[in-house]
Amino acid sequence: MSLRGTREVRDTCQLFRLTGLLDAFSEPTFRKVLGSKIEEGPKNIILDLSQIDFVDSSGLGALVQLAKQAQTAEGTLQIVSNPRVTQTVKLVRLEKFLSLQVSVEAALGNVKAP
């Protein structure tokens, strides 16, 4: 199973709900698509990874790169996590940098007003 998802554009953010695997196979497309959406705007990105089954080092690298891209564009990247994703992110000590959130509602509450 590969990576699938939906995109919802709101006033101040884009919400991506993803399912499947964020791994070496899906990472190039994931990074390309999300990178272009950050450029389109709005610049604040919420990734709902609560339904993701697996993230490998390629996926983590893509998340770090997208967080940096969002910051450069004066936006934010927040990740709604699940225990499996949280464990992987904490293993490499990136939980603060990747702004892990417990729910979409919590992430929406953190989005900066324009």
Side-chain angles (χ1 to χ4, degrees):
M1 180 164 145
S2 188
L3 188 65
R4 290 188 305 242
T6 61
R7 174 179 175 237
E8 180 183 334
V9 179
R10 299 188 177 199
D11 290 340
T12 57
C13 70
Q14 298 181 67
L15 172 60
F16 294 87
R17 297 180 192 268
L18 303 175
T19 60
L21 310 173
L22 181 51
D23 57 11
F25 179 75
S26 62
E27 178 269 334
T29 303
F30 168 77
R31 190 174 349 158
K32 182 179 170 189
V33 170
L34 263 80
S36 70
K37 298 303 178 190
I38 289 172
E39 288 177 21
E40 272 180 34
K43 308 292 186 205
N44 297 308
I45 306 294
I46 298 172
L47 291 179
D48 182 356
L49 303 185
S50 61
Q51 301 301 309
I52 287 286
D53 297 318
F54 178 74
V55 177
D56 71 2
S57 59
S58 300
L60 282 175
L63 293 174
V64 167
Q65 206 167 35
L66 288 169
K68 288 179 179 179
Q69 184 180 347
Q71 287 175 350
T72 301
E74 298 183 357
T76 60
L77 174 75
Q78 298 182 78
I79 296 172
V80 179
S81 192
N82 66 30
R84 189 174 295 132
V85 172
T86 299
Q87 182 180 18
T88 303
V89 170
K90 283 186 172 183
L91 196 65
V92 291
R93 295 191 167 105
L94 287 171
E95 62 270 18
K96 294 273 191 273
F97 181 75
L98 290 177
S99 188
L100 296 185
Q101 302 297 326
V102 295
S103 68
V104 170
E105 292 73 26
L108 287 169
N110 290 333
V111 172
K112 298 183 283 190

